[in-house]
Amino acid sequence: MTVLYILAGACVAVSAVTATLGNKNKIKGRFVCKMVSSLLFCLVAFLAAAGREAPMNIQTALMLGALVLGLVGDIVLGLDMFIAEEHRGFVFLLGGTPFFLGHLLYIVLLLSYGNIQWHLVAVLPAVPMFFLLLNRFGLIKLDKMMIPLSLYGLVLGAMMLATFNLATQGGELGRWMWYPGILFTISDGSLFLRTYGEGPLKKMNSVFSYTVMLPYYAAQGIFALTVGWL
């Protein structure tokens, strides 16, 4: 298990290098480091699966599938700086699709454990409401992306609901689940702010590089580690 913790930590550490290289516009190094981080969380997950005492089950398969979808999304989004600017919106949507599907798998997986704590449903609209408020006050400009991002925000809210719900169940698995939903929301929210931000947010791109990368890879690393307990 120590090796898995080291690999998961390395995944997050390399993601910090990815953000730094991106801020320095070293796009080839950024892409390579991003791929290394993504391969590391997949490696952690498959090693954890191989070391399971219990046989593989549907929850394990869903987790591995969601992590692989994350890898696919990372590859597509990592190509954004290699293509013409007018095509980056399409690549953003193309790369976001595996993440969206991966989040759905996470939600189905996590809600399959225990009973739903219905008071947690209050967190469901939090993210889309945040996006809509930022758009209303001119800090982001969503235009045609308002509906897709609001729907994505609902999925992020559902992720928080699902992780918090499992965390309240306790146990070895539950104690890890206070964090991934929040981390994913910070990461994806930062990505949207960096992409659609206006005014002062446009000046924070270098900060968003870190608030996208570090929470995302921390969340994926945590999910990868839990494969052994599913």
Side-chain angles (χ1 to χ4, degrees), residues 131-206:
F131 290 158
L132 292 174
L133 282 172
L134 290 177
N135 187 69
R136 172 67 180 80
F137 289 108
L139 292 173
I140 60 175
K141 188 177 181 181
L142 297 181
D143 293 334
K144 294 179 181 180
M145 294 300 296
M146 181 176 294
I147 292 176
L149 289 184
S150 295
L151 291 174
Y152 200 103
L154 281 175
V155 172
L156 290 175
M159 274 285 294
M160 285 197 291
L161 184 159
T163 54
F164 291 169
N165 186 72
L166 184 52
T168 62
Q169 314 287 329
E172 187 68 30
L173 183 60
R175 72 185 182 91
W176 288 91
M177 288 300 150
W178 289 111
Y179 313 109
I182 295 173
L183 290 168
F184 269 126
T185 300
I186 293 171
S187 175
D188 287 349
S190 296
L191 179 61
F192 298 150
L193 294 178
R194 185 179 69 184
T195 305
Y196 300 103
E198 296 289 324
L201 292 180
K202 282 187 173 294
K203 301 176 182 178
M204 296 179 60
N205 280 353
S206 60

Side-chain angles (χ1 to χ4, degrees), residues 3-57:
V3 173
L4 298 184
Y5 288 135
I6 292 172
L7 290 173
C11 168
V12 178
V14 175
S15 76
V17 179
T18 304
T20 300
L21 291 175
N23 286 339
K24 294 181 177 180
N25 204 33
K26 296 183 178 180
I27 59 174
K28 292 181 180 178
R30 166 183 174 264
F31 180 76
V32 170
C33 286
K34 188 175 184 181
M35 293 307 98
V36 169
S37 287
S38 300
L39 289 170
L40 279 171
F41 70 65
C42 286
L43 177 61
V44 170
F46 282 97
L47 288 176
R52 286 169 55 87
E53 295 181 1
M56 295 280 285
N57 54 35

